[in-house]
């Protein structure tokens, strides 16, 4: 029996809750030969920021993604927190980049984590 890690379960739960990420996950699995959560979340960040900027009307609405990740962040599961902090929050745009204002939309748990890893924004 294969055990699913919390980080792989996070990806699965994300796609279940926000089906717009299904195509990105299928391409990711094809290219990577499996689910690599930290790598996949690069695509999640890019799609979320494009949605925030209004650049991709077909992308999942950025608010749904942030709400889902905030809920997951509240759980306090190490594998989930590692992916969200390292491969989502840390990869959000920096102050000089388009879309940086999305950090002002983070929920309280993610905002606190963001402030710890990137105090300068």
């Amino acid at each position: 029996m294969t055990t699913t890690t919390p980080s792989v379960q996070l990806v699965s739960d994300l796609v279940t809750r926000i089906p717009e990420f299904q195509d990105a996950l299928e391409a990711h699995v094809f290219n990577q030969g499996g689910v690599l959560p930290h790598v996949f979340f690069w695509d999640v960040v890019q799609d979320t920021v494009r949605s925030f900027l209004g650049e991709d009307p077909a992308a999942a609405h950025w608010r749904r993604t942030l709400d889902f990740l905030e809920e997951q962040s509240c759980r306090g599961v190490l594998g989930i927190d590692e992916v969200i902090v390292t491969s989502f929050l840390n990869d959000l745009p920096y102050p000089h980049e388009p879309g940086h204002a999305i950090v002002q939309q983070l929920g309280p748990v993610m905002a606190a984590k963001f402030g710890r890893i990137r105090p300068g924004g």
Side-chain angles (χ1 to χ4, degrees), residues 5-66:
T5 64
S7 59
V8 170
Q9 188 63 50
L10 173 67
V11 171
S12 176
D13 292 347
L14 173 71
V15 172
T16 298
R17 177 88 161 271
I18 307 172
E20 290 89 340
F21 286 112
Q22 182 65 45
D23 289 346
L25 179 60
E26 289 173 9
H28 168 82
V29 169
F30 178 80
N31 291 327
Q32 302 297 330
V35 178
L36 302 176
H38 288 279
V39 175
F40 177 69
F41 262 80
W42 173 254
D43 293 333
V44 173
V45 169
Q46 301 311 304
D47 286 353
T48 302
V49 171
R50 278 194 293 274
S51 170
F52 180 75
L53 291 171
E55 295 176 354
D56 185 358
H61 191 274
W62 61 271
R63 171 57 62 200
R64 290 172 53 216
T65 304
L66 292 188

Side-chain angles (χ1 to χ4, degrees), residues 45 49 89 91-103 114 118 121:
V45 169
V49 171
L89 295 176
D91 287 340
L92 288 173
Y94 281 81
H96 64 281
E97 296 175 328
H100 175 71
I102 197 171
V103 303
F114 182 81
R118 285 189 26 200

